[in-house]
Amino acid sequence: DAGVTQSPTHLIKTRGQQVTLRCSPKSGHDTVSWYQQALGQGPQFIFQYYEEEERQRGNFPDRFSGHQFPNYSSELNVNALLLGDSALYLCASTDSRSGANVLTFGAGSRLTVL
Amino acid sequence: AQSVTQLGSHVSVSEGALVLLRCNYSSSVPPYLFWYVQYPNQGLQLLLKYTSAATLVKGINGFEAEFKKSETSFHLTKPSAHMSDAAEYFCAVSDRNQFYFGTGTSLTVIP
């Protein structure tokens, strides 16, 4: 049973560019959340997608946007990249029907902005 | 607003010694509390969770945590550290849709 898969694992961009990160949730999960983990910090909530809609959003600017597809996979887009966007971006999935409220994380996409 | 505070960004213990990682939470409602572990270049893995069923929660790899409402704490313990326990540990509280993570504690195990 595949867990949460993310791509790419590593990428390097320059300031001002745009990036798209991808996530496939664990089989049977229908809800996807994205977190940003800066070096030496805990993960910070970006937003959550359920039924192809953004259900909740953390304190991140509009440069951060996302999408969820009918197969529950998701994308995170970041526009006009800043040096401070360098971080590990984690995708996590849950099954909204289980009531377990447990996040299953992927290994992350490490973004470096030069 | 919900938050967690992890006391001690770095903890070192000898192999076989007690592991104690501290976490205090702030929550306006009965909390859902979690401990996650992160190994280098990996995502976070759930160690254990508290959902009000029992105050002492047992997790994987011999870890356990005790919920103390009077102290607003949820400290993580393991009786005997193993070299494979070296990792970053995160305490988290959730409001169902959003998790709030602490800044993490890096555990070093000395042989």
Side-chain angles (χ1 to χ4, degrees), chain A residues 35 37 40-43 45 48 55-56 88 90 100-103 105-107, chain B residues 32 34 36 38 41-44 46 49 90 94-99 101-103:
Chain A
Y35 286 79
Q37 186 179 16
Q41 299 296 316
F45 176 72
Q48 184 183 79
R55 179 157 71 175
Q56 190 165 343
L88 180 67
L90 295 166
N101 192 31
V102 172
L103 294 178
F105 282 88
Chain B
Y32 290 95
F34 304 79
Y36 278 84
Q38 186 176 34
N41 301 313
Q42 294 187 28
L44 279 69
L46 179 68
K49 65 175 182 178
F90 293 94
S94 83
D95 68 356
R96 189 168 183 76
N97 291 334
Q98 180 174 348
F99 277 56
F101 287 87
T103 53

PDB file of all heavy atoms in Angstrom, chain A residues 35 37 40-43 45 48 55-56 88 90 100-103 105-107, chain B residues 32 34 36 38 41-44 46 49 90 94-99 101-103:
ATOM      1  N   TYR A  35       2.198  21.625   4.171  1.00  0.00           N
ATOM      2  CA  TYR A  35       2.931  22.281   5.242  1.00  0.00           C
ATOM      3  C   TYR A  35       4.284  22.739   4.710  1.00  0.00           C
ATOM      4  O   TYR A  35       4.901  22.070   3.862  1.00  0.00           O
ATOM      5  CB  TYR A  35       3.152  21.330   6.418  1.00  0.00           C
ATOM      6  CG  TYR A  35       1.907  21.078   7.241  1.00  0.00           C
ATOM      7  CD1 TYR A  35       0.935  20.188   6.805  1.00  0.00           C
ATOM      8  CD2 TYR A  35       1.706  21.744   8.445  1.00  0.00           C
ATOM      9  CE1 TYR A  35      -0.212  19.968   7.553  1.00  0.00           C
ATOM     10  CE2 TYR A  35       0.558  21.524   9.198  1.00  0.00           C
ATOM     11  CZ  TYR A  35      -0.394  20.647   8.749  1.00  0.00           C
ATOM     12  OH  TYR A  35      -1.529  20.429   9.497  1.00  0.00           O
ATOM     13  N   GLN A  37       8.113  23.526   5.987  1.00  0.00           N
ATOM     14  CA  GLN A  37       9.032  23.331   7.105  1.00  0.00           C
ATOM     15  C   GLN A  37      10.355  24.016   6.778  1.00  0.00           C
ATOM     16  O   GLN A  37      11.161  23.489   6.005  1.00  0.00           O
ATOM     17  CB  GLN A  37       9.247  21.843   7.397  1.00  0.00           C
ATOM     18  CG  GLN A  37      10.091  21.604   8.640  1.00  0.00           C
ATOM     19  CD  GLN A  37      10.289  20.141   8.953  1.00  0.00           C
ATOM     20  OE1 GLN A  37      10.064  19.263   8.119  1.00  0.00           O
ATOM     21  NE2 GLN A  37      10.717  19.843  10.172  1.00  0.00           N
ATOM     22  N   GLY A  40      15.254  23.888  10.632  1.00  0.00           N
ATOM     23  CA  GLY A  40      15.278  24.033  12.074  1.00  0.00           C
ATOM     24  C   GLY A  40      13.954  24.394  12.713  1.00  0.00           C
ATOM     25  O   GLY A  40      13.902  24.702  13.906  1.00  0.00           O
ATOM     26  N   GLN A  41      12.894  24.343  11.946  1.00  0.00           N
ATOM     27  CA  GLN A  41      11.564  24.712  12.448  1.00  0.00           C
ATOM     28  C   GLN A  41      10.587  23.547  12.322  1.00  0.00           C
ATOM     29  O   GLN A  41      10.848  22.571  11.626  1.00  0.00           O
ATOM     30  CB  GLN A  41      11.029  25.913  11.673  1.00  0.00           C
ATOM     31  CG  GLN A  41      11.884  27.158  11.790  1.00  0.00           C
ATOM     32  CD  GLN A  41      11.950  27.680  13.203  1.00  0.00           C
ATOM     33  OE1 GLN A  41      10.936  27.751  13.899  1.00  0.00           O
ATOM     34  NE2 GLN A  41      13.145  28.041  13.645  1.00  0.00           N
ATOM     35  N   GLY A  42       9.461  23.694  12.987  1.00  0.00           N
ATOM     36  CA  GLY A  42       8.388  22.733  12.809  1.00  0.00           C
ATOM     37  C   GLY A  42       7.572  23.078  11.571  1.00  0.00           C
ATOM     38  O   GLY A  42       7.624  24.199  11.068  1.00  0.00           O
ATOM     39  N   PRO A  43       6.822  22.120  11.080  1.00  0.00           N
ATOM     40  CA  PRO A  43       5.976  22.389   9.913  1.00  0.00           C
ATOM     41  C   PRO A  43       4.925  23.468  10.202  1.00  0.00           C
ATOM     42  O   PRO A  43       4.355  23.489  11.287  1.00  0.00           O
ATOM     43  CB  PRO A  43       5.310  21.038   9.646  1.00  0.00           C
ATOM     44  CG  PRO A  43       6.206  20.031  10.289  1.00  0.00           C
ATOM     45  CD  PRO A  43       6.760  20.714  11.491  1.00  0.00           C
ATOM     46  N   PHE A  45       1.346  25.154   8.726  1.00  0.00           N
ATOM     47  CA  PHE A  45       0.203  24.829   7.881  1.00  0.00           C
ATOM     48  C   PHE A  45       0.015  25.872   6.785  1.00  0.00           C
ATOM     49  O   PHE A  45      -0.058  27.070   7.071  1.00  0.00           O
ATOM     50  CB  PHE A  45      -1.045  24.767   8.766  1.00  0.00           C
ATOM     51  CG  PHE A  45      -2.339  24.532   8.039  1.00  0.00           C
ATOM     52  CD1 PHE A  45      -2.630  23.291   7.492  1.00  0.00           C
ATOM     53  CD2 PHE A  45      -3.271  25.547   7.911  1.00  0.00           C
ATOM     54  CE1 PHE A  45      -3.841  23.069   6.845  1.00  0.00           C
ATOM     55  CE2 PHE A  45      -4.473  25.338   7.261  1.00  0.00           C
ATOM     56  CZ  PHE A  45      -4.755  24.094   6.730  1.00  0.00           C
ATOM     57  N   GLN A  48      -5.463  23.310   3.348  1.00  0.00           N
ATOM     58  CA  GLN A  48      -6.022  21.961   3.252  1.00  0.00           C
ATOM     59  C   GLN A  48      -7.060  21.921   2.133  1.00  0.00           C
ATOM     60  O   GLN A  48      -7.869  22.848   1.990  1.00  0.00           O
ATOM     61  CB  GLN A  48      -6.676  21.540   4.561  1.00  0.00           C
ATOM     62  CG  GLN A  48      -7.202  20.114   4.554  1.00  0.00           C
ATOM     63  CD  GLN A  48      -7.908  19.754   5.846  1.00  0.00           C
ATOM     64  OE1 GLN A  48      -9.057  20.103   6.068  1.00  0.00           O
ATOM     65  NE2 GLN A  48      -7.204  19.037   6.714  1.00  0.00           N
ATOM     66  N   ARG A  55     -10.276  24.188   1.999  1.00  0.00           N
ATOM     67  CA  ARG A  55     -11.182  24.183   3.144  1.00  0.00           C
ATOM     68  C   ARG A  55     -10.691  25.108   4.250  1.00  0.00           C
ATOM     69  O   ARG A  55     -11.487  25.718   4.951  1.00  0.00           O
ATOM     70  CB  ARG A  55     -11.353  22.768   3.687  1.00  0.00           C
ATOM     71  CG  ARG A  55     -12.269  22.682   4.905  1.00  0.00           C
ATOM     72  CD  ARG A  55     -12.860  21.316   5.079  1.00  0.00           C
ATOM     73  NE  ARG A  55     -11.890  20.323   5.500  1.00  0.00           N
ATOM     74  CZ  ARG A  55     -12.205  19.062   5.807  1.00  0.00           C
ATOM     75  NH1 ARG A  55     -13.450  18.658   5.746  1.00  0.00           N
ATOM     76  NH2 ARG A  55     -11.274  18.205   6.146  1.00  0.00           N
ATOM     77  N   GLN A  56      -9.386  25.167   4.400  1.00  0.00           N
ATOM     78  CA  GLN A  56      -8.825  26.026   5.443  1.00  0.00           C
ATOM     79  C   GLN A  56      -7.447  26.481   4.998  1.00  0.00           C
ATOM     80  O   GLN A  56      -6.753  25.756   4.281  1.00  0.00           O
ATOM     81  CB  GLN A  56      -8.734  25.257   6.770  1.00  0.00           C
ATOM     82  CG  GLN A  56      -8.395  26.123   7.972  1.00  0.00           C
ATOM     83  CD  GLN A  56      -8.672  25.428   9.282  1.00  0.00           C
ATOM     84  OE1 GLN A  56      -9.399  24.436   9.330  1.00  0.00           O
ATOM     85  NE2 GLN A  56      -8.110  25.942  10.367  1.00  0.00           N
ATOM     86  N   LEU A  88      11.414  22.795   3.156  1.00  0.00           N
ATOM     87  CA  LEU A  88      10.887  21.477   2.818  1.00  0.00           C
ATOM     88  C   LEU A  88       9.365  21.598   2.810  1.00  0.00           C
ATOM     89  O   LEU A  88       8.769  22.046   3.792  1.00  0.00           O
ATOM     90  CB  LEU A  88      11.330  20.446   3.861  1.00  0.00           C
ATOM     91  CG  LEU A  88      10.859  19.003   3.652  1.00  0.00           C
ATOM     92  CD1 LEU A  88      11.498  18.396   2.411  1.00  0.00           C
ATOM     93  CD2 LEU A  88      11.181  18.163   4.885  1.00  0.00           C
ATOM     94  N   LEU A  90       5.917  19.758   2.767  1.00  0.00           N
ATOM     95  CA  LEU A  90       5.367  18.457   3.124  1.00  0.00           C
ATOM     96  C   LEU A  90       3.895  18.376   2.757  1.00  0.00           C
ATOM     97  O   LEU A  90       3.122  19.297   3.032  1.00  0.00           O
ATOM     98  CB  LEU A  90       5.526  18.207   4.625  1.00  0.00           C
ATOM     99  CG  LEU A  90       6.957  18.092   5.139  1.00  0.00           C
ATOM    100  CD1 LEU A  90       6.984  18.199   6.647  1.00  0.00           C
ATOM    101  CD2 LEU A  90       7.578  16.778   4.699  1.00  0.00           C
ATOM    102  N   ALA A 100     -10.296   9.697  12.497  1.00  0.00           N
ATOM    103  CA  ALA A 100      -9.078   9.461  13.268  1.00  0.00           C
ATOM    104  C   ALA A 100      -8.239  10.708  13.432  1.00  0.00           C
ATOM    105  O   ALA A 100      -7.450  10.800  14.352  1.00  0.00           O
ATOM    106  CB  ALA A 100      -8.251   8.365  12.609  1.00  0.00           C
ATOM    107  N   ASN A 101      -8.387  11.654  12.521  1.00  0.00           N
ATOM    108  CA  ASN A 101      -7.652  12.920  12.622  1.00  0.00           C
ATOM    109  C   ASN A 101      -6.152  12.699  12.737  1.00  0.00           C
ATOM    110  O   ASN A 101      -5.488  13.275  13.597  1.00  0.00           O
ATOM    111  CB  ASN A 101      -8.152  13.726  13.830  1.00  0.00           C
ATOM    112  CG  ASN A 101      -7.635  15.156  13.789  1.00  0.00           C
ATOM    113  OD1 ASN A 101      -7.422  15.714  12.725  1.00  0.00           O
ATOM    114  ND2 ASN A 101      -7.407  15.731  14.957  1.00  0.00           N
ATOM    115  N   VAL A 102      -5.628  11.825  11.891  1.00  0.00           N
ATOM    116  CA  VAL A 102      -4.201  11.545  11.888  1.00  0.00           C
ATOM    117  C   VAL A 102      -3.648  11.889  10.513  1.00  0.00           C
ATOM    118  O   VAL A 102      -4.213  11.483   9.497  1.00  0.00           O
ATOM    119  CB  VAL A 102      -3.917  10.063  12.204  1.00  0.00           C
ATOM    120  CG1 VAL A 102      -2.443   9.758  12.007  1.00  0.00           C
ATOM    121  CG2 VAL A 102      -4.346   9.739  13.625  1.00  0.00           C
ATOM    122  N   LEU A 103      -2.563  12.660  10.494  1.00  0.00           N
ATOM    123  CA  LEU A 103      -1.923  13.012   9.233  1.00  0.00           C
ATOM    124  C   LEU A 103      -0.887  11.956   8.851  1.00  0.00           C
ATOM    125  O   LEU A 103      -0.089  11.538   9.689  1.00  0.00           O
ATOM    126  CB  LEU A 103      -1.212  14.358   9.348  1.00  0.00           C
ATOM    127  CG  LEU A 103      -2.073  15.600   9.571  1.00  0.00           C
ATOM    128  CD1 LEU A 103      -1.177  16.835   9.721  1.00  0.00           C
ATOM    129  CD2 LEU A 103      -3.043  15.791   8.428  1.00  0.00           C
ATOM    130  N   PHE A 105       2.244  11.683   6.358  1.00  0.00           N
ATOM    131  CA  PHE A 105       3.090  12.603   5.613  1.00  0.00           C
ATOM    132  C   PHE A 105       3.875  11.903   4.504  1.00  0.00           C
ATOM    133  O   PHE A 105       4.262  10.728   4.637  1.00  0.00           O
ATOM    134  CB  PHE A 105       4.101  13.255   6.551  1.00  0.00           C
ATOM    135  CG  PHE A 105       3.532  14.362   7.380  1.00  0.00           C
ATOM    136  CD1 PHE A 105       2.940  14.089   8.594  1.00  0.00           C
ATOM    137  CD2 PHE A 105       3.597  15.681   6.946  1.00  0.00           C
ATOM    138  CE1 PHE A 105       2.413  15.107   9.373  1.00  0.00           C
ATOM    139  CE2 PHE A 105       3.072  16.704   7.712  1.00  0.00           C
ATOM    140  CZ  PHE A 105       2.478  16.419   8.930  1.00  0.00           C
ATOM    141  N   GLY A 106       4.141  12.663   3.455  1.00  0.00           N
ATOM    142  CA  GLY A 106       5.102  12.258   2.456  1.00  0.00           C
ATOM    143  C   GLY A 106       6.498  12.671   2.899  1.00  0.00           C
ATOM    144  O   GLY A 106       6.675  13.317   3.941  1.00  0.00           O
ATOM    145  N   ALA A 107       7.490  12.314   2.077  1.00  0.00           N
ATOM    146  CA  ALA A 107       8.884  12.614   2.410  1.00  0.00           C
ATOM    147  C   ALA A 107       9.244  14.058   2.113  1.00  0.00           C
ATOM    148  O   ALA A 107      10.294  14.539   2.560  1.00  0.00           O
ATOM    149  CB  ALA A 107       9.819  11.669   1.669  1.00  0.00           C
TER     150      ALA A 107
ATOM    151  N   TYR B  32      -6.558  17.472  20.805  1.00  0.00           N
ATOM    152  CA  TYR B  32      -5.995  16.279  20.215  1.00  0.00           C
ATOM    153  C   TYR B  32      -4.482  16.544  20.163  1.00  0.00           C
ATOM    154  O   TYR B  32      -4.050  17.526  19.584  1.00  0.00           O
ATOM    155  CB  TYR B  32      -6.521  16.058  18.793  1.00  0.00           C
ATOM    156  CG  TYR B  32      -7.975  15.663  18.727  1.00  0.00           C
ATOM    157  CD1 TYR B  32      -8.970  16.617  18.521  1.00  0.00           C
ATOM    158  CD2 TYR B  32      -8.355  14.335  18.860  1.00  0.00           C
ATOM    159  CE1 TYR B  32     -10.304  16.254  18.460  1.00  0.00           C
ATOM    160  CE2 TYR B  32      -9.688  13.961  18.792  1.00  0.00           C
ATOM    161  CZ  TYR B  32     -10.655  14.926  18.603  1.00  0.00           C
ATOM    162  OH  TYR B  32     -11.980  14.575  18.543  1.00  0.00           O
ATOM    163  N   PHE B  34      -0.399  15.040  19.619  1.00  0.00           N
ATOM    164  CA  PHE B  34       0.353  14.056  18.841  1.00  0.00           C
ATOM    165  C   PHE B  34       1.851  14.234  19.085  1.00  0.00           C
ATOM    166  O   PHE B  34       2.318  15.331  19.393  1.00  0.00           O
ATOM    167  CB  PHE B  34       0.095  14.252  17.339  1.00  0.00           C
ATOM    168  CG  PHE B  34      -1.348  14.193  16.940  1.00  0.00           C
ATOM    169  CD1 PHE B  34      -2.179  15.277  17.129  1.00  0.00           C
ATOM    170  CD2 PHE B  34      -1.867  13.045  16.359  1.00  0.00           C
ATOM    171  CE1 PHE B  34      -3.526  15.236  16.762  1.00  0.00           C
ATOM    172  CE2 PHE B  34      -3.200  12.980  15.982  1.00  0.00           C
ATOM    173  CZ  PHE B  34      -4.021  14.080  16.190  1.00  0.00           C
ATOM    174  N   TYR B  36       5.191  13.261  16.658  1.00  0.00           N
ATOM    175  CA  TYR B  36       5.688  12.751  15.394  1.00  0.00           C
ATOM    176  C   TYR B  36       7.210  12.698  15.470  1.00  0.00           C
ATOM    177  O   TYR B  36       7.845  13.500  16.159  1.00  0.00           O
ATOM    178  CB  TYR B  36       5.285  13.664  14.234  1.00  0.00           C
ATOM    179  CG  TYR B  36       3.879  13.454  13.709  1.00  0.00           C
ATOM    180  CD1 TYR B  36       2.792  14.061  14.318  1.00  0.00           C
ATOM    181  CD2 TYR B  36       3.647  12.655  12.593  1.00  0.00           C
ATOM    182  CE1 TYR B  36       1.504  13.869  13.825  1.00  0.00           C
ATOM    183  CE2 TYR B  36       2.367  12.463  12.089  1.00  0.00           C
ATOM    184  CZ  TYR B  36       1.302  13.072  12.720  1.00  0.00           C
ATOM    185  OH  TYR B  36       0.036  12.885  12.226  1.00  0.00           O
ATOM    186  N   GLN B  38      10.796  12.575  12.965  1.00  0.00           N
ATOM    187  CA  GLN B  38      11.298  12.820  11.610  1.00  0.00           C
ATOM    188  C   GLN B  38      12.756  12.391  11.541  1.00  0.00           C
ATOM    189  O   GLN B  38      13.616  12.961  12.228  1.00  0.00           O
ATOM    190  CB  GLN B  38      11.162  14.299  11.239  1.00  0.00           C
ATOM    191  CG  GLN B  38      11.535  14.604   9.798  1.00  0.00           C
ATOM    192  CD  GLN B  38      11.285  16.070   9.438  1.00  0.00           C
ATOM    193  OE1 GLN B  38      11.441  16.957  10.266  1.00  0.00           O
ATOM    194  NE2 GLN B  38      10.889  16.313   8.196  1.00  0.00           N
ATOM    195  N   ASN B  41      16.012  13.529   6.081  1.00  0.00           N
ATOM    196  CA  ASN B  41      15.548  13.436   4.692  1.00  0.00           C
ATOM    197  C   ASN B  41      14.268  12.615   4.540  1.00  0.00           C
ATOM    198  O   ASN B  41      14.032  12.009   3.484  1.00  0.00           O
ATOM    199  CB  ASN B  41      16.639  12.862   3.797  1.00  0.00           C
ATOM    200  CG  ASN B  41      17.895  13.705   3.821  1.00  0.00           C
ATOM    201  OD1 ASN B  41      17.834  14.919   3.707  1.00  0.00           O
ATOM    202  ND2 ASN B  41      19.034  13.058   4.013  1.00  0.00           N
ATOM    203  N   GLN B  42      13.474  12.599   5.577  1.00  0.00           N
ATOM    204  CA  GLN B  42      12.195  11.893   5.511  1.00  0.00           C
ATOM    205  C   GLN B  42      11.073  12.793   6.006  1.00  0.00           C
ATOM    206  O   GLN B  42      11.302  13.851   6.609  1.00  0.00           O
ATOM    207  CB  GLN B  42      12.243  10.608   6.356  1.00  0.00           C
ATOM    208  CG  GLN B  42      13.205   9.564   5.831  1.00  0.00           C
ATOM    209  CD  GLN B  42      13.107   8.261   6.593  1.00  0.00           C
ATOM    210  OE1 GLN B  42      12.057   7.920   7.138  1.00  0.00           O
ATOM    211  NE2 GLN B  42      14.196   7.507   6.615  1.00  0.00           N
ATOM    212  N   GLY B  43       9.847  12.352   5.742  1.00  0.00           N
ATOM    213  CA  GLY B  43       8.684  13.058   6.270  1.00  0.00           C
ATOM    214  C   GLY B  43       8.463  12.694   7.728  1.00  0.00           C
ATOM    215  O   GLY B  43       9.283  12.028   8.348  1.00  0.00           O
ATOM    216  N   LEU B  44       7.355  13.157   8.286  1.00  0.00           N
ATOM    217  CA  LEU B  44       7.047  12.902   9.679  1.00  0.00           C
ATOM    218  C   LEU B  44       6.262  11.600   9.821  1.00  0.00           C
ATOM    219  O   LEU B  44       5.370  11.311   9.020  1.00  0.00           O
ATOM    220  CB  LEU B  44       6.226  14.052  10.256  1.00  0.00           C
ATOM    221  CG  LEU B  44       6.992  15.301  10.691  1.00  0.00           C
ATOM    222  CD1 LEU B  44       7.552  16.046   9.496  1.00  0.00           C
ATOM    223  CD2 LEU B  44       6.103  16.203  11.520  1.00  0.00           C
ATOM    224  N   LEU B  46       4.017   9.235  12.563  1.00  0.00           N
ATOM    225  CA  LEU B  46       3.271   9.296  13.813  1.00  0.00           C
ATOM    226  C   LEU B  46       3.834   8.317  14.835  1.00  0.00           C
ATOM    227  O   LEU B  46       3.996   7.132  14.556  1.00  0.00           O
ATOM    228  CB  LEU B  46       1.800   8.980  13.557  1.00  0.00           C
ATOM    229  CG  LEU B  46       0.899   8.990  14.787  1.00  0.00           C
ATOM    230  CD1 LEU B  46       0.752  10.411  15.338  1.00  0.00           C
ATOM    231  CD2 LEU B  46      -0.470   8.404  14.452  1.00  0.00           C
ATOM    232  N   LYS B  49      -0.804   9.292  19.627  1.00  0.00           N
ATOM    233  CA  LYS B  49      -1.771  10.382  19.670  1.00  0.00           C
ATOM    234  C   LYS B  49      -2.638  10.257  20.905  1.00  0.00           C
ATOM    235  O   LYS B  49      -2.896   9.156  21.402  1.00  0.00           O
ATOM    236  CB  LYS B  49      -2.657  10.375  18.424  1.00  0.00           C
ATOM    237  CG  LYS B  49      -3.546   9.142  18.312  1.00  0.00           C
ATOM    238  CD  LYS B  49      -4.486   9.243  17.127  1.00  0.00           C
ATOM    239  CE  LYS B  49      -5.397   8.019  17.049  1.00  0.00           C
ATOM    240  NZ  LYS B  49      -6.369   8.120  15.929  1.00  0.00           N
ATOM    241  N   PHE B  90       8.629  16.003  17.084  1.00  0.00           N
ATOM    242  CA  PHE B  90       7.706  17.132  17.063  1.00  0.00           C
ATOM    243  C   PHE B  90       6.436  16.801  17.828  1.00  0.00           C
ATOM    244  O   PHE B  90       5.807  15.768  17.600  1.00  0.00           O
ATOM    245  CB  PHE B  90       7.327  17.505  15.626  1.00  0.00           C
ATOM    246  CG  PHE B  90       8.457  18.058  14.812  1.00  0.00           C
ATOM    247  CD1 PHE B  90       9.210  17.222  14.006  1.00  0.00           C
ATOM    248  CD2 PHE B  90       8.770  19.407  14.869  1.00  0.00           C
ATOM    249  CE1 PHE B  90      10.268  17.726  13.255  1.00  0.00           C
ATOM    250  CE2 PHE B  90       9.819  19.926  14.122  1.00  0.00           C
ATOM    251  CZ  PHE B  90      10.569  19.080  13.318  1.00  0.00           C
ATOM    252  N   SER B  94      -4.022  19.613  17.385  1.00  0.00           N
ATOM    253  CA  SER B  94      -4.845  19.845  16.197  1.00  0.00           C
ATOM    254  C   SER B  94      -6.236  20.321  16.579  1.00  0.00           C
ATOM    255  O   SER B  94      -6.737  20.040  17.673  1.00  0.00           O
ATOM    256  CB  SER B  94      -4.962  18.572  15.363  1.00  0.00           C
ATOM    257  OG  SER B  94      -5.975  17.730  15.875  1.00  0.00           O
ATOM    258  N   ASP B  95      -6.841  21.024  15.640  1.00  0.00           N
ATOM    259  CA  ASP B  95      -8.243  21.410  15.774  1.00  0.00           C
ATOM    260  C   ASP B  95      -9.061  20.737  14.692  1.00  0.00           C
ATOM    261  O   ASP B  95     -10.026  21.276  14.234  1.00  0.00           O
ATOM    262  CB  ASP B  95      -8.391  22.934  15.691  1.00  0.00           C
ATOM    263  CG  ASP B  95      -8.080  23.451  14.291  1.00  0.00           C
ATOM    264  OD1 ASP B  95      -7.680  22.650  13.425  1.00  0.00           O
ATOM    265  OD2 ASP B  95      -8.239  24.659  14.068  1.00  0.00           O
ATOM    266  N   ARG B  96      -8.615  19.560  14.305  1.00  0.00           N
ATOM    267  CA  ARG B  96      -9.262  18.708  13.318  1.00  0.00           C
ATOM    268  C   ARG B  96      -8.784  19.007  11.891  1.00  0.00           C
ATOM    269  O   ARG B  96      -8.387  18.107  11.189  1.00  0.00           O
ATOM    270  CB  ARG B  96     -10.779  18.812  13.383  1.00  0.00           C
ATOM    271  CG  ARG B  96     -11.471  17.773  12.508  1.00  0.00           C
ATOM    272  CD  ARG B  96     -12.932  17.672  12.782  1.00  0.00           C
ATOM    273  NE  ARG B  96     -13.557  16.630  11.985  1.00  0.00           N
ATOM    274  CZ  ARG B  96     -13.459  15.324  12.218  1.00  0.00           C
ATOM    275  NH1 ARG B  96     -12.766  14.888  13.247  1.00  0.00           N
ATOM    276  NH2 ARG B  96     -14.053  14.450  11.442  1.00  0.00           N
ATOM    277  N   ASN B  97      -8.862  20.255  11.461  1.00  0.00           N
ATOM    278  CA  ASN B  97      -8.427  20.553  10.104  1.00  0.00           C
ATOM    279  C   ASN B  97      -6.981  21.016  10.027  1.00  0.00           C
ATOM    280  O   ASN B  97      -6.364  20.954   8.973  1.00  0.00           O
ATOM    281  CB  ASN B  97      -9.318  21.630   9.476  1.00  0.00           C
ATOM    282  CG  ASN B  97     -10.714  21.121   9.200  1.00  0.00           C
ATOM    283  OD1 ASN B  97     -10.920  19.932   9.023  1.00  0.00           O
ATOM    284  ND2 ASN B  97     -11.669  22.024   9.184  1.00  0.00           N
ATOM    285  N   GLN B  98      -6.439  21.525  11.102  1.00  0.00           N
ATOM    286  CA  GLN B  98      -5.120  22.122  11.086  1.00  0.00           C
ATOM    287  C   GLN B  98      -4.309  21.636  12.269  1.00  0.00           C
ATOM    288  O   GLN B  98      -4.801  21.585  13.393  1.00  0.00           O
ATOM    289  CB  GLN B  98      -5.254  23.644  11.129  1.00  0.00           C
ATOM    290  CG  GLN B  98      -3.945  24.386  11.113  1.00  0.00           C
ATOM    291  CD  GLN B  98      -4.143  25.882  11.001  1.00  0.00           C
ATOM    292  OE1 GLN B  98      -5.233  26.344  10.721  1.00  0.00           O
ATOM    293  NE2 GLN B  98      -3.092  26.639  11.225  1.00  0.00           N
ATOM    294  N   PHE B  99      -3.070  21.261  11.989  1.00  0.00           N
ATOM    295  CA  PHE B  99      -2.145  20.859  13.033  1.00  0.00           C
ATOM    296  C   PHE B  99      -1.202  22.027  13.326  1.00  0.00           C
ATOM    297  O   PHE B  99      -0.730  22.711  12.412  1.00  0.00           O
ATOM    298  CB  PHE B  99      -1.323  19.651  12.581  1.00  0.00           C
ATOM    299  CG  PHE B  99      -2.017  18.331  12.770  1.00  0.00           C
ATOM    300  CD1 PHE B  99      -3.259  18.093  12.207  1.00  0.00           C
ATOM    301  CD2 PHE B  99      -1.423  17.312  13.493  1.00  0.00           C
ATOM    302  CE1 PHE B  99      -3.901  16.875  12.367  1.00  0.00           C
ATOM    303  CE2 PHE B  99      -2.050  16.086  13.660  1.00  0.00           C
ATOM    304  CZ  PHE B  99      -3.283  15.862  13.102  1.00  0.00           C
ATOM    305  N   PHE B 101       2.396  22.608  15.060  1.00  0.00           N
ATOM    306  CA  PHE B 101       3.579  21.869  15.492  1.00  0.00           C
ATOM    307  C   PHE B 101       4.486  22.733  16.348  1.00  0.00           C
ATOM    308  O   PHE B 101       4.583  23.955  16.153  1.00  0.00           O
ATOM    309  CB  PHE B 101       4.374  21.381  14.276  1.00  0.00           C
ATOM    310  CG  PHE B 101       3.732  20.238  13.548  1.00  0.00           C
ATOM    311  CD1 PHE B 101       2.798  20.466  12.545  1.00  0.00           C
ATOM    312  CD2 PHE B 101       4.067  18.920  13.855  1.00  0.00           C
ATOM    313  CE1 PHE B 101       2.199  19.417  11.867  1.00  0.00           C
ATOM    314  CE2 PHE B 101       3.475  17.864  13.179  1.00  0.00           C
ATOM    315  CZ  PHE B 101       2.543  18.119  12.193  1.00  0.00           C
ATOM    316  N   GLY B 102       5.187  22.085  17.270  1.00  0.00           N
ATOM    317  CA  GLY B 102       6.239  22.756  17.988  1.00  0.00           C
ATOM    318  C   GLY B 102       7.473  22.890  17.102  1.00  0.00           C
ATOM    319  O   GLY B 102       7.493  22.425  15.953  1.00  0.00           O
ATOM    320  N   THR B 103       8.498  23.496  17.649  1.00  0.00           N
ATOM    321  CA  THR B 103       9.721  23.742  16.872  1.00  0.00           C
ATOM    322  C   THR B 103      10.644  22.544  16.839  1.00  0.00           C
ATOM    323  O   THR B 103      11.668  22.572  16.166  1.00  0.00           O
ATOM    324  CB  THR B 103      10.478  24.948  17.430  1.00  0.00           C
ATOM    325  OG1 THR B 103      10.678  24.751  18.833  1.00  0.00           O
ATOM    326  CG2 THR B 103       9.702  26.233  17.203  1.00  0.00           C
TER     327      THR B 103
END
